[in-house]
Amino acid sequence: MNISIFGLGYVGCVGAACLAKLGHHVIGNDISENKVRLINEGKPTIIEADIDELVKEGRESGRLEASMDIQYVVDKSDISFICVGTPSGKQGHLNLDYIYNVARQIGKAIRHKESFHIVAIRSTVLPGTNKRVGEIIAEASGKQRGRDFTVVSNPEFLREGTSVEDYINPPLTLIGTDSEDAEKTFRELYKDIHGEFIATDIEVAEIMKYVNNTYHALKIVFANEVGNICKSLGIDSHKVMEIFCKDRQLNISPYYFKPGFAYGGSCLPKDCKALRTLAHDHYVKTPVINAIDPSNELQKKIAMDIIESKGRKSIGILGLSFKAGTDDLRNSPIVDVAEVLYGKGYDVRIYDRNVRVSQLTGTNADFIQAKLPRLYQIITDDLDEICQACDVLVVTNKEKEFADLPEKYPHKCIVDLVRQFKALDYEGNYEGISWANINNNAAQDQPIERNMLTTEY
Ligand SMILES: NC(=O)c1ccc[n+]([C@@H]2O[C@H](COP(=O)([O-])OP(=O)(O)OC[C@H]3O[C@@H](n4cnc5c(N)ncnc54)[C@H](O)[C@@H]3O)[C@@H](O)[C@H]2O)c1
């Protein structure tokens, strides 16, 4: 394929050399004359393992060149990669000026081009950039996105120092696109690159790199805080983390990685608190570990706010225990939400087929006695009755019996704390706690009519 690369720094130089190695014809462009000259002399613009040989080979094979002439670069290619820098501005915002400048230049250059052009954003950019780049190109070219050109998001995952190796062996290849043709082209382009090829929504691809890097940073500071606690206790933290990493079911695994409601139960809250207190007693500062509990509390507050925002008085809570399939109510986060709603005077009703108030014993009974002493008055074992009676249905666990709520009870407000539904075509109003709207029904967009008196301060 014929490819142009805008920006010949770390990402652009490695991409250009590797794509040439894979058999494509690549033309690089940079505002730096020096970088363009270096590529044309068969020399890399950066210092990296294996890159000298690759650029030299690419140049000798005739598959790699560079030019300052943007029209030439665009005319000679079907895909243009944007690999320019995205530095932080003074206030920490991302400066996307370089990206938009290149988009404008590419737009002008494709004005007279007959063939379809794909622009791929390789730089790290925030969600929404792809759309804006498309608008700039459309404006500058007078052409139409989807018909004459498209913009895909193809974030780069390489790490400096091992960038050539990472390019050929990435953890995965990610394309965010709204064009089937572009997806096909990219599958073909990357067919010799190892790892899974994933085509997804544009915004999903755009945010991915930030999610990855923030998680990597979180891993590092978590391991460091654990290390600091271990050191204060005379424990070898490397032995601890080695064993930690061997648990591939719960620790290094997809488990717990589903956005949703707060955690609860008798172990996580208690054990996090114990480790935090242990660190404190040994004068070890653990700001990340200390932040876990406030973040969890915030998630309960978010659930409360969503429920209250529906402006209805009767609230049906479907599931009270801390997870499906148990009657354990200790530290169940929805009990806290129910307690506040009940205290505020909402007409709260609760359904949980596993909970029998009369059979609660020990700490379970004590917990409920402290939080919801009148539970026996508001709990029912009739799911239909509660769904009929309440305007807002709050789904708190993934029991199968809640799966057909939208069909059975149209026109209710459903608040989903566990992603019970994948996608919906629901007549009523649906809101998930931590994901964008998945209800495609137009009824969703109608403003909610509030039938509760509110006090304005
Ligand atoms: N370096 C990494 O390890 C890495 C890894 C993944 C993603 N990224 C992301 O990729 C992007 C590029 O990073 P980098 O490290 O390669 O940056 P870099 O600064 O090394 O290279 C950017 C290049 O773009 C050029 N440039 C600027 N404006 C231009 C224009 N209008 N036309 C043509 N060229 C132009 C600059 O002269 C420079 O050579 C950033 O968004 C970065 O966050 C970097």
Side-chain angles (χ1 to χ4, degrees):
M1 289 186 198
N2 294 316
I3 292 156
S4 52
I5 295 200
F6 289 83
L8 293 169
Y10 278 89
V11 167
C13 181
V14 170
C18 291
L19 286 167
K21 170 84 179 164
L22 292 169
H24 303 290
H25 185 259
V26 184
I27 313 179
N29 168 272
D30 202 289
I31 44 170
S32 155
E33 245 176 87
N34 186 40
K35 291 190 180 178
V36 169
R37 185 180 50 76
L38 280 170
I39 296 289
N40 285 331
E41 286 172 358
K43 294 177 190 154
T45 62
I46 53 165
I47 294 172
E48 270 290 313
D50 305 325
I51 192 76
D52 294 54
E53 202 47 39
L54 274 186
V55 173
K56 192 163 164 272
E57 252 178 52
R59 199 62 196 117
E60 283 168 2
S61 68
R63 288 197 298 272
L64 178 61
E65 61 174 305
S67 168
M68 303 287 291
D69 181 346
I70 290 162
Q71 191 65 52
Y72 169 78
V73 167
V74 171
D75 283 347
K76 284 271 190 169
S77 59
D78 305 308
I79 306 173
S80 294
F81 280 95
I82 302 182
C83 303
V84 298
T86 48
S88 291
K90 270 189 192 151
Q91 269 87 33
H93 296 111
L94 208 58
N95 177 356
L96 295 170
D97 289 353
Y98 301 149
I99 300 269
Y100 296 149
N101 285 345
V102 174
R104 220 162 279 121
Q105 290 168 339
I106 296 174
K108 278 186 200 148
I110 64 167
R111 186 170 264 276
H112 304 293
K113 223 180 157 211
E114 297 282 308
S115 56
F116 192 78
H117 201 81
I118 300 177
V119 176
I121 305 176
R122 197 76 170 139
S123 303
T124 303
V125 295
L126 289 168
T129 309
N130 181 307
K131 186 163 175 271
R132 184 70 198 118
V133 163
E135 288 163 0
I136 291 172
I137 296 174
E139 233 169 74
S141 64
K143 298 205 171 217
Q144 195 183 321
R145 180 178 181 143
R147 191 191 62 193
D148 308 309
F149 75 92
T150 193
V151 186
V152 309
S153 293
N154 175 209
E156 173 62 79
F157 295 125
L158 62 76
R159 294 159 303 167
E160 286 175 26
T162 52
S163 58
V164 171
E165 171 62 16
D166 289 349
Y167 192 95
I168 306 294
N169 287 304
L172 50 88
T173 296
L174 184 62
I175 300 290
T177 181
D178 52 8
S179 154
E180 276 180 27
D181 288 344
E183 183 187 329
K184 267 189 219 142
T185 305
F186 269 75
R187 275 188 194 278
E188 180 61 24
L189 177 74
Y190 287 135
K191 68 179 190 312
D192 295 323
I193 297 278
H194 306 154
E196 190 181 350
F197 180 98
I198 300 170
T200 185
D201 303 346
I202 288 168
E203 290 81 4
V204 171
E206 286 184 306
I207 203 166
M208 213 60 230
K209 177 85 186 191
Y210 292 100
V211 176
N212 287 357
N213 277 353
T214 305
Y215 178 57
H216 299 165
L218 179 67
K219 280 174 87 169
I220 292 168
V221 297
F222 176 74
N224 290 345
E225 288 190 5
V226 168
N228 297 343
I229 297 172
C230 286
K231 184 179 173 188
S232 76
L233 299 166
I235 296 171
D236 182 346
S237 60
H238 278 245
K239 281 188 186 161
V240 171
M241 291 312 285
E242 248 170 57
I243 297 168
F244 173 89
C245 292
K246 282 189 199 289
D247 178 347
R248 307 239 156 209
Q249 286 181 25
L250 300 183
N251 294 353
I252 312 297
S253 78
Y255 206 80
Y256 295 129
F257 268 132
K258 298 212 169 15
F261 195 34
Y263 64 77
S266 59
C267 292
L268 296 192
K270 172 174 75 71
D271 297 347
C272 283
K273 199 195 270 179
L275 187 66
R276 223 165 49 223
T277 310
L278 183 67
H280 180 261
D281 289 350
H282 285 78
Y283 305 102
V284 178
K285 289 202 165 78
T286 52
V288 166
I289 291 174
N290 293 357
I292 294 172
D293 185 50
S295 174
N296 199 49
E297 288 304 310
L298 179 66
Q299 202 65 351
K300 296 179 198 171
K301 168 87 173 61
I302 289 171
M304 274 288 311
D305 289 349
I306 294 173
I307 295 166
E308 290 204 278
S309 75
K310 303 303 171 194
R312 300 286 195 277
K313 203 163 188 315
S314 60
I315 315 290
I317 292 180
L318 310 183
L320 191 66
S321 59
F322 86 101
K323 64 179 176 187
T326 172
D327 69 344
D328 195 350
L329 301 175
R330 287 171 301 170
N331 289 318
S332 172
I334 197 65
V335 172
D336 287 342
V337 173
E339 180 192 12
V340 177
L341 288 171
Y342 189 77
K344 282 185 167 190
Y346 282 87
D347 173 13
V348 179
R349 298 179 199 204
I350 292 171
Y351 167 85
D352 192 320
R353 69 189 172 103
N354 294 313
V355 176
R356 296 275 174 277
V357 181
S358 59
Q359 288 167 17
L360 293 176
T361 55
T363 46
N364 220 352
D366 295 345
F367 179 71
I368 280 303
Q369 186 53 35
K371 293 272 180 182
L372 276 176
R374 300 206 175 272
L375 177 61
Y376 65 92
Q377 285 177 338
I378 58 175
I379 197 163
T380 167
D381 55 5
D382 187 338
L383 178 59
D384 186 53
E385 180 204 310
I386 190 171
C387 292
Q388 297 278 5
C390 296
D391 295 327
V392 181
L393 304 177
V394 185
V395 182
T396 78
N397 65 43
K398 280 196 169 184
E399 293 283 4
K400 277 199 191 105
E401 58 187 336
F402 304 147
D404 57 1
L405 289 182
E407 289 91 67
K408 276 185 156 166
Y409 309 101
H411 315 299
K412 301 271 173 184
C413 294
I414 295 179
V415 176
D416 185 358
L417 305 184
V418 283
R419 193 63 183 258
Q420 170 73 254
F421 313 101
K422 276 212 163 102
L424 281 173
D425 184 5
Y426 179 50
E427 281 291 314
N429 176 274
Y430 169 90
E431 187 166 348
I433 184 167
S434 301
W435 44 92
N437 179 26
I438 56 163
N439 185 10
N440 291 320
N441 196 297
Q444 173 80 27
D445 303 323
Q446 286 158 16
I448 296 183
E449 188 198 312
R450 279 162 222 287
N451 59 10
M452 227 178 95
L453 284 178
T454 53
T455 313
E456 304 276 345
Y457 293 99

